[in-house]
């Protein structure tokens, strides 16, 4: 099966993994000519805070996709993916991170999901974070975990 769509899911904790995530997705999607769906999922409270920080009026009619497009981590990763010549689509979501990532993967018919994770202690390495684990167990396709430095 050829890769056509790679969903790169980023969240609030991925600021320190921007380079690793962009490099991994470029290495995977580039040779395959796959479209990258760059998805940022916001928690409910985080979404309101980000809208306020971006100076978006509470009554303004904007979508989660619009807010994700303006989010600094998304802009930084998108810039790197654009420079690599990849076709990139930005999607936003609001709610439970793991659930929304899986829903976006289903909506976009993703062939692969890429998520970030943090390094853990030797004992903790056998267990992924609850969000990454939720995505890995529920995603409709294979999942690649990119650990931070």
């Amino acid at each position: 099966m050829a890769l056509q769509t790679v969903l790169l899911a980023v969240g609030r904790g991925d600021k320190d993994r921007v380079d690793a995530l962009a490099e991994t997705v470029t290495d995977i999607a580039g040779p395959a000519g796959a479209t990258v769906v760059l998805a940022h999922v916001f928690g409910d409270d985080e979404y309101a805070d980000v809208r306020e920080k971006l100076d978006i009026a509470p009554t303004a009619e904007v979508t989660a996709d619009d807010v994700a497009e303006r989010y600094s981590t998304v802009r930084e990763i998108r810039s790197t993916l654009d420079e690599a010549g990849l076709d990139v689509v930005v999607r936003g979501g609001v709610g439970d991170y793991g659930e929304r990532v899986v829903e976006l993967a289903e909506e976009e018919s993703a062939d692969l999901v890429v998520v970030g994770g943090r390094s853990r202690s030797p004992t903790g390495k056998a267990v992924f974070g609850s969000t990454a684990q939720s995505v890995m167990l529920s995603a409709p396709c294979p999942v690649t975990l990119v650990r931070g430095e």
Side-chain angles (χ1 to χ4, degrees):
M1 174 179 83
L3 278 179
Q4 294 181 342
T5 305
V6 175
L7 185 126
L8 170 55
V10 296
R12 177 175 37 194
D14 288 319
K15 289 179 177 145
D16 296 337
R17 287 185 282 274
V18 167
D19 292 337
L21 288 165
E23 182 178 328
T24 299
V25 169
T26 299
D27 289 347
I28 293 169
T35 296
V36 176
V37 177
L38 177 51
H40 190 293
V41 175
F42 302 93
D44 292 318
D45 293 339
E46 179 192 9
Y47 186 66
D49 291 344
V50 169
R51 283 180 58 117
E52 187 176 317
K53 286 178 185 168
L54 292 174
D55 203 24
I56 299 171
T59 56
E61 290 189 31
V62 295
T63 65
D65 293 349
D66 297 327
V67 175
E69 283 264 8
R70 295 178 58 187
Y71 198 71
S72 61
T73 303
V74 171
R75 287 195 330 262
E76 189 175 342
I77 292 173
R78 180 170 192 160
S79 175
T80 302
L81 298 177
D82 284 344
E83 286 174 16
L86 296 173
D87 181 22
V88 180
V89 175
V90 175
R91 292 290 314 272
V94 180
D96 177 81
Y97 184 81
E99 288 175 15
R100 285 298 293 136
V101 167
V102 169
E103 289 169 4
L104 288 168
E106 290 169 348
E107 290 170 16
E108 297 294 331
S109 300
D111 300 302
L112 176 72
V113 172
V114 177
V115 295
R118 62 184 180 275
S119 295
R120 295 176 122 11
S121 68
T123 9
K125 285 187 179 178
V127 180
F128 298 104
S130 60
T131 298
Q133 185 172 342
S134 168
V135 172
M136 284 190 243
L137 294 174
S138 302
C141 59
V143 177
T144 296
L145 178 74
V146 177
R147 285 192 315 176
E149 297 295 321

